[in-house]
Amino acid sequence: MDAVANRAESPAIGHIHAVRGAVVDVRYDVPDLPAINTALVVDWDHPDPLVLEVHSHLDLRTLRAVAFQATAGLARGVPVRTTGAPVCVPVGDAVLGRLVDVIGTVRDLGPSLPDDVPRRSIHASPPLLKSQSAATEVFETGIKVIDLLTPMAQGGRAAMFGGAGVGKTVLVMELIHAMVEKYKGISVFAGIGERSREGHELLTEMQGSGVLERTVLVYGQMNEPPGARWRAPLTALTIAEYFRDRKHQNVLLLMDNVFRFVQAGAEVSSLLGRLPSRVGYQPTLATEVAGLQERIASVAGASVTAIQAVYVPADDFTDPAVTTISSHMDCVVVLSRALASEGFYPAIDPLASSSMLLDPLVVGKAHYEIAEEAREVLARFKDLQDIISLLGVEELGAADKLIVRRARRLQRFLSQPFQVTEAFTGTPGASVSRADTLAGCRAILDGEADDWAESSLYMIGTLEDARSKEMAARSEEAAR
């Protein structure tokens, strides 16, 4: 079994005492129990290994462990040996371009990893505060609405919150494309509770686009036990930390979906017999989320930048899991179902989203002023929508009519075609630099596009693309 290092057997051999789904009790003949988080290997007759992780000591001779694989067919009395160490996963250049599971076993039907591949424990402490560097360098994404209103930090933590079907996964996949092409760094993707179809699609697309060789895929899929989904982000983070600490390379860590990590922890917690906390979540919710998020940090010369998708159950942004995760973020991107239903993609709510980097000392005075003016115009437009729906635009004053005209054009300019959706929409994807985004927004706010058709600004890249579209439409109309 290649996923666990340091196989020095303990003199004490345990035996399976009880099985409750993904939680297993192991009993020892002598009071010599392995430490918490130690990996155990079950010596059963199945071809695939069964790895357990010690979670608690019930008494002097019995421990309770969480299984990382299915326990179907596991019987009482089956021997269990300890490895004497936590789960250790392969790291380094050997795992680039590969798809691995929670214990580091390759699952892409490719060759096995070499025996001398370095390994690291999935449990580690975050870097000391004095060795961490502040995340103040803007991380350009090429996505207009993000770069304008919610700039991301290199070495920071950004999260995209949204309900089902509003475009979280598409946004994450577009960011993978943009980052790998622009920054030429290492990407680590953690698929937590992903559907098998999504994992296969991502692997196939990365192979076709040529970015897989700089990427590591770590999956704890939806059909796997909660223990695998619970620890998959730690495996991905361990691989990212190795490139940061040993190779001194910048790493982009993408997680889809962090809510499934919390959900898996809640399943494990209930199987362990703990009393639930608010809304049925585990009582250790804040500790588990903090343990994951605090390890995402920058040190001198290298950074781990995390972009995380977070499912919002029933579009309830007051859910305890959502509020706990958001408290650790530098940048919060909120996806709106209302905008998605109107056809604005990416469906990012410009008023609910926020970023700590939107500060004149970080992004510059010009960027800050354009972003604030854009927010004011969009906020005023939102306030006027009830009046417009009841009485119509014609009942507004001249100043408000002008705001509505510019807000509608700005809203359409902030929509954008993606490379990952090109095959479905037929529209070529566009990546827009921050300078072009700011120039386009400034022109719209100054009234340059007041006489243009709104459709000319919809789903385009730069303002020059919109100008070309407008000119073509006018020529076509004049020719009729």
Side-chain angles (χ1 to χ4, degrees):
M1 146 99 192
D2 64 348
V4 183
N6 301 330
R7 294 180 176 78
E9 289 191 9
S10 168
I13 299 293
H15 295 85
I16 299 296
H17 180 66
V19 181
R20 298 177 188 83
V23 170
V24 178
D25 291 352
V26 181
R27 190 154 180 85
Y28 288 77
D29 296 330
V30 293
D32 183 17
L33 299 181
I36 302 297
N37 289 335
T38 299
L40 311 176
V41 179
V42 178
D43 288 329
W44 64 346
D45 55 357
H46 289 221
D48 292 329
L50 176 58
V51 179
L52 313 175
E53 184 179 78
V54 178
H55 197 79
S56 62
H57 294 168
L58 301 180
D59 55 45
L60 292 176
R61 296 188 180 184
T62 312
L63 60 82
R64 185 158 287 172
V66 176
F68 288 157
Q69 292 84 20
T71 56
L74 185 60
R76 294 184 67 182
V78 173
V80 178
R81 57 185 174 85
T82 179
T83 62
V87 171
C88 295
V89 295
V91 294
D93 294 335
V95 294
L96 286 174
R98 307 305 301 271
L99 187 151
V100 299
D101 64 11
V102 65
I103 58 172
T105 307
V106 290
R107 297 293 184 187
D108 54 11
L109 304 180
S112 299
L113 297 173
D115 293 334
D116 60 349
V117 65
R119 294 177 182 274
R120 270 194 170 192
S121 165
I122 64 171
H123 297 283
S125 300
L128 295 174
L129 198 59
K130 64 181 180 182
S131 66
Q132 294 185 22
S133 57
T136 56
E137 188 178 340
V138 176
F139 198 68
E140 277 196 39
T141 63
I143 298 171
K144 290 181 288 189
V145 65
I146 291 178
D147 288 342
L148 173 69
L149 298 172
T150 59
M152 294 182 178
Q154 186 151 342
R157 295 183 287 264
M160 290 168 292
F161 295 90
V166 294
K168 296 185 299 298
T169 300
V170 171
L171 200 51
V172 167
M173 290 174 70
E174 182 68 14
L175 285 166
I176 292 174
H177 270 271
M179 299 313 171
V180 172
E181 289 179 10
K182 188 176 290 188
Y183 289 93
K184 306 297 182 187
I186 302 295
S187 295
V188 180
F189 179 84
I192 311 163
E194 288 279 87
R195 301 170 184 86
S196 301
R197 170 187 57 78
E198 291 173 335
H200 183 264
E201 282 177 2
L202 183 63
L203 178 62
T204 306
E205 187 173 327
M206 285 192 159
Q207 285 172 335
S209 59
V211 300
L212 184 62
E213 59 193 32
R214 304 287 292 167
T215 306
V216 185
L217 304 177
V218 180
Y219 274 91
Q221 293 187 153
M222 193 177 280
N223 61 337
E224 294 186 60
R229 289 178 269 127
W230 191 38
R231 292 307 194 205
L234 299 189
T235 300
L237 194 49
T238 301
I239 295 169
E241 286 171 337
Y242 179 84
F243 284 110
R244 179 194 68 192
D245 299 337
R246 294 296 179 89
K247 300 285 188 177
H248 305 291
Q249 292 176 294
N250 291 334
V251 184
L252 176 66
L253 175 65
L254 300 118
M255 296 194 216
D256 188 10
N257 183 308
V258 181
F259 178 79
R260 305 293 180 203
F261 160 73
V262 173
Q263 201 173 39
E267 290 179 49
V268 170
S269 180
S270 62
L271 288 168
L272 291 169
R274 294 185 188 140
L275 288 172
S277 182
R278 286 191 303 155
V279 200
Y281 287 110
Q282 62 270 43
T284 53
L285 171 64
T287 307
E288 289 175 13
V289 172
L292 174 67
Q293 300 294 344
E294 292 304 311
R295 285 174 63 180
I296 301 167
S298 298
V299 296
S303 64
V304 174
T305 305
I307 298 175
Q308 308 166 41
V310 184
Y311 167 69
V312 179
D315 291 344
D316 179 13
F317 286 88
T318 64
D319 186 87
V322 175
T323 55
T324 303
I325 294 167
S326 65
S327 66
H328 292 272
M329 297 300 150
D330 306 316
C331 173
V332 173
V333 177
V334 176
L335 291 142
S336 162
R337 190 173 300 282
L339 286 172
S341 65
E342 291 176 33
F344 293 114
Y345 291 103
I348 295 172
D349 188 332
L351 303 178
S353 304
S354 63
S355 171
M356 293 173 67
L357 264 71
L358 193 59
D359 185 293
L361 297 175
V362 179
V363 297
K365 187 179 177 183
H367 183 158
Y368 179 75
E369 288 177 351
I370 292 169
E372 285 301 293
E373 192 175 338
R375 277 191 201 277
E376 286 175 17
V377 168
L378 292 169
R380 181 60 181 158
F381 176 51
K382 187 177 181 182
D383 291 341
L384 293 170
Q385 278 181 327
D386 286 342
I387 298 172
I388 294 168
S389 61
L390 288 170
L391 304 174
V393 179
E394 298 306 318
E395 296 300 316
L396 298 177
D400 284 341
K401 281 182 183 177
L402 189 62
I403 284 174
V404 168
R405 185 181 299 122
R406 290 178 182 174
R408 288 177 64 87
R409 282 158 178 76
L410 185 63
Q411 211 173 34
R412 279 150 182 78
F413 177 68
L414 293 177
S415 66
Q416 187 170 341
F418 282 169
Q419 292 178 10
V420 294
T421 58
E422 188 175 331
F424 309 106
T425 62
T427 306
S431 179
V432 184
S433 69
R434 186 159 64 117
D436 287 340
T437 298
L438 294 176
C441 291
R442 181 74 274 164
I444 291 169
L445 292 169
D446 289 343
E448 192 176 315
D450 283 358
D451 297 329
W452 296 7
E454 291 178 1
S455 58
S456 298
L457 293 150
Y458 178 67
M459 281 293 175
I460 47 88
T462 64
L463 192 69
E464 288 306 313
D465 296 337
R467 184 176 280 109
S468 302
K469 196 173 174 182
E470 175 71 12
M471 293 300 109
R474 288 185 180 184
S475 301
E476 187 178 333
E477 191 171 331
R480 285 176 183 173

